[in-house]
Amino acid sequence: MQMQPGQSPPVTRHETPEERADRNLVELLQELRVVQTGVQIVFAFLLGVAFTSRFPQLSDFQRGTYIVTLLLTVVSSAVLATPVALHRGLFHRGVKPRIVALSDRFAQIGLVFLALALNGAVLLLMDVVLGLAAAIATTVVTTAMFAALWFLLPWALRRR
């Protein structure tokens, strides 16, 4: 079998299923630490927005976008932190492969909510700064970008 340029050789690991579960959980939790920082930044921004002098001037659409975006951020934070809670709650119970499988699913769901929250923030900001038409156009582009990079690209690479 000839390798293509840029292609890595297949990795053969000599690990038990328990060692694999340990490694996968550590890798997943590290990834979630990075993502959770982004959630915290968006959440902090959104909390601050409500206390600005301009907040009362928001239109009903902008206020609705703000509320939905804030709640999407809260949901994404909760869902992305669930793997930590699963690990803590089921620690030393001999179910680490199950924890890893569930945590993987929660991470994927959390990324969906995070993408929605980030795009909600884009919609709100662009509406305030540029107007609704530009906000919708920009949000369509950023939504497509998230869909392509976070979901379609991994799906396409898995199918290879």
Side-chain angles (χ1 to χ4, degrees), residues 36-100:
Q36 196 66 283
T37 301
V39 174
Q40 291 167 344
I41 291 168
V42 173
F43 189 64
F45 158 75
L46 290 169
L47 288 177
V49 166
F51 297 102
T52 64
S53 61
R54 195 161 175 201
F55 188 76
Q57 299 168 5
L58 294 181
S59 69
D60 288 341
F61 175 78
Q62 291 166 341
R63 195 178 310 265
T65 301
Y66 171 81
I67 291 167
V68 169
T69 301
L70 180 71
L71 294 175
L72 285 168
T73 305
V74 169
V75 170
S76 68
S77 183
V79 173
L80 289 168
T82 298
V84 175
L86 285 172
H87 182 253
R88 288 290 95 207
L90 300 173
F91 189 62
H92 288 306
R93 303 264 174 145
V95 293
K96 193 161 289 176
R98 183 162 169 80
I99 293 170
V100 171

Side-chain angles (χ1 to χ4, degrees), residues 140-159:
V140 166
V141 170
T142 59
T143 300
M145 178 191 67
F146 277 106
L149 293 174
W150 285 11
F151 306 106
L152 295 176
L153 179 61
W155 175 79
L157 292 174
R158 276 194 309 268
R159 293 185 52 118

Side-chain angles (χ1 to χ4, degrees), residues 4 19 28 41 56 67 71 83 102 108 113 156 160:
Q4 301 297 320
E19 289 170 335
L28 178 63
I41 291 168
I67 291 167
L71 294 175
L102 285 169
Q108 291 174 16
F113 280 105
R160 288 180 133 197

Side-chain angles (χ1 to χ4, degrees), residues 129-145:
V129 174
L130 300 175
L132 186 56
I136 290 171
T138 303
T139 304
V140 166
V141 170
T142 59
T143 300
M145 178 191 67

Side-chain angles (χ1 to χ4, degrees), residues 2 13 32 36 50 61 70 72 81 89 103 116 121 124 129:
Q2 187 166 6
R13 295 185 188 264
L32 291 173
Q36 196 66 283
F61 175 78
L70 180 71
L72 285 168
S103 295
L116 291 171
L124 176 61
V129 174

